[in-house]
Amino acid sequence: MPSAKRNTKSTVSPGQPVTLRLTPAQRADIERASKSAGYPNASAFMRESVLRAVRRDDQVTELAAIESRMAASFDAMRQRVRALENASQMMLAYQDATAKLLLSCLPEPPPDAIKAATASAKKRYERLMKAIALEMTGDVAGVAAELAKRAE
């Protein structure tokens, strides 16, 4: 029931009469509700109530269609996220295998060349991070740029 008083005019124009069989208690409840809601009479209140119920059924059908479309969208997003997760795992596995290959195939520098090799490696690493930052697009570009700054 609306909390504010309604206009004294019904928004629905009367049409052909419909007969309802009500108990005296039901009739009294309808009369009381129509007066408290501000309707001019019980008929106007009942017309509005019936139309509201019909509209509610239409809204439920429309809401079900919206929910169905949303579920399909969520499912499509879930599939895309899963594909990205798989690609990310594949890239990490590739990176791990590459690192293992390099570490097992490249010899350690001699002890007297470690400082020079470390300095050279740092410079190459900085260039690598900058090159990665230039290749990245979107939000990831900011992350890569931050990594390149840290390397400096």
Side-chain angles (χ1 to χ4, degrees):
M1 221 185 307
S3 59
K5 292 278 187 181
R6 296 184 67 70
N7 293 337
T8 56
K9 290 184 178 178
S10 174
T11 58
V12 178
S13 60
Q16 292 184 332
V18 175
T19 303
L20 294 175
R21 297 187 194 279
L22 302 170
T23 65
Q26 290 170 331
R27 177 76 184 199
D29 287 344
I30 290 173
E31 291 287 340
R32 198 173 319 111
S34 66
K35 284 182 183 172
S36 69
Y39 286 94
N41 54 46
S43 293
F45 174 75
M46 288 190 294
R47 276 192 301 273
E48 288 284 335
S49 297
V50 168
L51 286 176
R52 205 174 304 124
V54 169
R55 287 186 201 119
R56 192 172 326 142
D57 288 344
D58 291 344
Q59 290 171 346
V60 168
T61 302
E62 186 179 337
L63 184 59
I66 291 169
E67 287 175 348
S68 177
R69 289 191 304 269
M70 286 177 63
S73 294
F74 286 140
D75 189 46
M77 274 196 291
R78 181 191 57 78
Q79 289 175 0
R80 291 180 75 186
V81 167
R82 183 67 181 159
L84 289 172
E85 286 174 344
N86 290 341
S88 176
Q89 287 177 354
M90 184 190 73
M91 291 304 297
L92 287 173
Y94 176 77
Q95 212 172 15
D96 185 56
T98 303
K100 287 177 183 175
L101 177 69
L102 284 173
L103 291 173
S104 64
C105 293
L106 292 177
E108 291 273 338
D112 57 337
I114 286 186
K115 283 186 181 181
T118 301
S120 175
K122 283 183 180 180
K123 288 179 184 175
R124 287 193 319 254
Y125 179 76
E126 288 174 13
R127 286 194 310 261
L128 173 66
M129 287 294 108
K130 286 180 183 177
I132 290 172
L134 291 173
E135 293 294 321
M136 302 305 275
T137 59
D139 293 340
V140 181
V143 174
E146 182 63 31
L147 287 173
K149 286 180 188 175
R150 289 183 193 170
E152 293 175 354

